């Protein structure tokens, strides 16, 4: 028997906010390339997660969640930018992966499906978080409803968190890709730099540890990123600014006696060391820039580029 042909290509990962797209990308890649939290719209940037297997390579395009109204005139500049990034991810891909939450389908899932249908690419449906469904028999009528009058190349109940159902999902996605050599090296897991990933890991802790609203008024700018030799290997010295929009928000991020900022920085540093495999020295500052999230020019200077 001959080995199957090697396939490689780009797959857009699309869905409404907070259905576990980034968790699924990380599970397929086998490393943390996209930050996650229980807050909707944690992902703000389009990034590639590169998942390499013996007979193929998935270049997964992780995107901000599509949200009805994000492109409207009343949405903030940040929200309009995120919607453009999500829709722009569909350009030039070979296939798409629509991620939905098991047991739920609403108008935003329909919005995501319609965007994929307009793009004209084959779509695989991943029904995520099936581990939360206690009565598995309830999945059958849900799957029937979700697929009624909608065209999918295949349907896969999965749990990204528990890494269940991923093998058959990978096989189905690879079948949709062209026969060609890998597009990236075997040891590459993302197209983003370590500097970018450091900023994202710090922002992840802001999303995880602050209140329901404040994370959306924060962003991170890595001002310095230097690698130098250490006693037991490389050492990264990173300086990062946490931008907020008001003085009151600055006080919340810093916390009493600086306790909250120290906790945020400590947890972010631990994640950086785990991802980079090296010692990290992290310094953080909190600064105010009024209205940055609704200022197109400010967004560009803070790294939000189309």
């Amino acid at each position: 028997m001959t080995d199957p042909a090697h396939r490689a290509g780009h797959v857009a990962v699309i869905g409404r906010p907070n259905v576990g797209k980034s968790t699924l990308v990380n599970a397929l890649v086998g490393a943390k390339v996209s930050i996650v939290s229980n807050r909707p719209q944690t992902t703000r940037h389009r990034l590639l997660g590169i998942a390499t297997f013996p007979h193929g390579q998935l270049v997964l395009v992780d995107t901000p969640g599509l949200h009805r109204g994000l492109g409207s005139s009343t949405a903030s500049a940040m929200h309009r930018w995120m919607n453009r990034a999500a829709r722009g991810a569909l350009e030039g891909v070979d296939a798409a992966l629509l991620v939905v939450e098991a047991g739920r389908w609403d108008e935003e899932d329909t919005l995501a499906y319609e965007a994929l249908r307009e793009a004209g690419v084959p779509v695989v449906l991943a029904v995520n978080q099936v581990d939360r469904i206690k009565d598995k028999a309830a999945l059958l009528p849900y799957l029937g409803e979700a697929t009624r009058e909608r065209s999918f190349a295949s349907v896969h109940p999965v749990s990204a968190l528990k890494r269940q159902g991923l093998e058959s999902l990978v096989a189905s996605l690879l079948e949709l890709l062209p026969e060609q050599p890998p597009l990236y090296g075997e040891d590459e897991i993302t197209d983003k730099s370590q500097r970018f990933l450091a900023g994202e890991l710090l922002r992840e802790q802001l999303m995880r540890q602050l209140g329901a609203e404040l994370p959306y008024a924060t962003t991170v700018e890595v001002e310095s990123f230097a690698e130098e030799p250490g006693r037991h290997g490389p050492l990264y010295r990173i300086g990062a600014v946490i931008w907020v929009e008001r003085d009151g928000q600055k006080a919340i991020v810093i916390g009493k006696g600086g306790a909250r900022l120290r906790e945020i920085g400590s947890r972010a540093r631990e994640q950086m060391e785990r991802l980079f495999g090296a010692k990290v020295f992290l310094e953080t500052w909190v600064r105010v820039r009024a209205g940055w999230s609704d200022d197109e020019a400010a967004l560009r200077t803070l790294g939000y580029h189309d």
Side-chain angles (χ1 to χ4, degrees), residues 170-239:
V170 168
S172 292
L173 288 171
L174 287 175
E175 287 178 2
L176 301 175
L177 304 184
E179 295 184 9
Q180 61 180 339
L183 303 176
Y184 292 88
E186 187 175 346
D187 59 345
E188 293 183 85
I189 58 174
T190 184
D191 63 328
K192 296 297 187 182
S193 67
Q194 289 178 312
R195 184 186 190 112
F196 172 87
L197 294 173
E200 286 289 273
L201 290 172
L202 179 55
R203 190 168 64 81
E204 177 182 56
Q205 292 306 316
L206 293 168
M207 300 292 288
R208 286 174 174 265
Q209 297 190 44
L210 299 177
E213 297 301 325
L214 186 55
Y216 304 110
T218 64
T219 195
V220 172
E221 180 182 17
V222 176
E223 287 195 327
S224 61
F225 188 103
E227 180 182 349
E228 58 187 58
R231 182 176 299 177
H232 303 292
L235 167 69
Y236 292 95
R237 291 191 180 275
I238 303 170

Side-chain angles (χ1 to χ4, degrees), residues 268-288:
R269 177 184 54 77
E270 291 171 359
Q271 290 291 321
M272 293 175 198
E273 290 181 339
R274 187 173 293 117
L275 181 60
F276 301 156
K279 188 72 176 173
V280 171
F281 180 76
L282 174 66
E283 287 187 288
T284 57
W285 302 270
V286 185
R287 297 175 186 162
V288 177

Side-chain angles (χ1 to χ4, degrees), residues 106-119:
D106 61 23
E107 64 177 9
E108 290 182 341
D109 296 304
T110 300
L111 173 70
Y113 174 77
E114 289 174 350
L116 295 175
R117 186 178 62 178
E118 291 170 8

Side-chain angles (χ1 to χ4, degrees), residues 18-20 22-23 32 34-43 203-209 215-216:
N18 217 29
V19 292
S22 295
T23 302
K32 187 171 187 174
S34 190
I35 66 172
V36 295
S37 82
N38 60 3
R39 309 290 184 198
Q41 300 164 32
T42 297
T43 301
R203 190 168 64 81
E204 177 182 56
Q205 292 306 316
L206 293 168
M207 300 292 288
R208 286 174 174 265
Q209 297 190 44
Y216 304 110

